[in-house]
Amino acid sequence: MSSSTDERATDSTEQATDSTEQATEQTSAAKDRSRRRAVRHAGPPVGETEAPKPVVLAKPVGAHAAPEAAKVSTAKVASPEPPAPDAPKQRRPLKSLLAWGVTAVVVVALVVAAVVLLLDLRSARERDDRRQAFVDTARQTVLNLTTIHPETAKEDVDRIIAGASGQFLEEFQGREDPFVGVVQDANVTTEGQVVEAGVENGSETSISANVLVAARTMVSSKEQPEPSPRDFRMRVTVSDVDGKLTASKVEFVP
């Protein structure tokens, strides 16, 4: 019995000792924690520098892909290549100059073509006017020759002489009065009409041209009161004398 009681007392003593040691250790740990807290609040001692402890953060899921994405983004931002829209702007001035050059050439060509066309039209119009002037002079000469009345014979002859020159004028000069006398004595009346007329040869730059004239005249006289037709073909040489077109030669053509 006594030995059992002693063993129990010994166990109780040991447990008390262990409790005391644990309490002592807890007290020491509490003091250490209090001291550490005070040091933290007060900061490191003067003259001493405490190296900061690295803080390790937990990596989120997929964190291994973040560096690669960052590298790609950094590469894109730091890329020295100019943006795509700038390339057309650099080519635009050259294209604009080429477009303006082509437009200028086309405009100049159109202006030149218009001027040439106008000159051609003007030259053609002048040529036609000149040829028509030759024809009109020849027509009027033939009408004057084929239209004579006894009552106005003197005026009719003067009209023929006014439009004559050269050889044709020489044929009438000095013979006006005998011609008028014959017309009045025979009571000859002629009424001429030009059927057709055209330039046989000559040009707008020529000073003379031959004009063929087809004419018809109605002739009546004292012996033949009833008018009868007469057809004529004449070649009239029209000449430019001092800027005036006149008939320089008239001949009958069979």
Side-chain angles (χ1 to χ4, degrees):
M1 297 286 291
S2 60
S3 59
S4 300
T5 303
D6 292 338
E7 290 178 359
R8 292 178 180 175
T10 301
D11 293 336
S12 299
T13 301
E14 290 177 357
Q15 291 178 356
T17 302
D18 293 336
S19 299
T20 301
E21 290 177 357
Q22 291 178 357
T24 302
E25 291 177 357
Q26 291 178 356
T27 303
S28 298
K31 289 181 180 181
D32 291 338
R33 285 196 297 272
S34 299
R35 190 180 297 110
R36 289 175 184 173
R37 290 176 183 174
V39 171
R40 287 178 183 174
H41 288 291
V46 179
E48 295 183 3
T49 306
E50 184 178 359
K53 296 181 180 181
V55 179
V56 179
L57 300 178
K59 295 184 179 180
V61 179
H64 61 278
E68 296 180 359
K71 290 180 181 179
V72 174
S73 300
T74 305
K76 290 183 178 179
V77 173
S79 176
E81 296 181 358
D86 291 343
K89 291 183 180 179
Q90 295 177 357
R91 301 189 186 95
R92 189 172 302 167
L94 180 58
K95 291 183 178 179
S96 300
L97 290 176
L98 292 176
W100 277 108
V102 173
T103 303
V105 171
V106 172
V107 171
V108 171
L110 290 176
V111 171
V112 172
V115 171
V116 172
L117 180 60
L118 289 176
L119 292 177
D120 289 343
L121 291 175
R122 181 177 179 181
S123 178
R125 184 169 60 251
E126 290 178 352
R127 181 175 61 252
D128 293 342
D129 293 344
R130 183 72 170 175
R131 292 172 67 89
Q132 189 61 42
F134 283 131
V135 173
D136 292 342
T137 301
R139 289 172 65 96
Q140 188 61 48
T141 299
V142 173
L143 282 175
N144 294 339
L145 283 173
T146 57
T147 303
I148 298 175
H149 299 86
E151 300 83 5
T152 58
K154 177 62 176 174
E155 292 79 359
D156 295 340
V157 173
D158 290 341
R159 187 166 54 252
I160 294 171
I161 294 174
S165 65
Q167 180 181 346
F168 185 54
L169 178 60
E170 293 175 0
E171 291 177 355
F172 269 90
Q173 284 180 338
R175 298 185 178 86
E176 300 94 329
D177 293 339
F179 183 80
V180 172
V182 171
V183 170
Q184 291 177 345
D185 291 343
N187 196 24
V188 177
T189 301
T190 60
E191 290 289 343
Q193 177 185 3
V194 174
V195 177
E196 191 62 57
V199 176
E200 182 181 18
N201 55 47
S203 64
E204 67 278 5
T205 59
S206 301
I207 59 173
S208 64
N210 291 333
V211 182
L212 292 177
V213 181
R216 170 172 289 185
T217 182
M218 302 299 293
V219 181
S220 63
S221 63
K222 186 185 297 184
E223 297 178 356
Q224 188 179 350
E226 190 67 25
S228 60
R230 299 286 190 275
D231 293 331
F232 303 95
R233 290 185 62 197
M234 300 180 183
R235 178 181 290 111
V236 181
T237 302
V238 179
S239 301
D240 189 341
V241 180
D242 298 330
K244 180 182 178 180
L245 296 180
T246 57
S248 59
K249 185 179 181 180
V250 177
E251 55 184 337
F252 288 95
V253 178

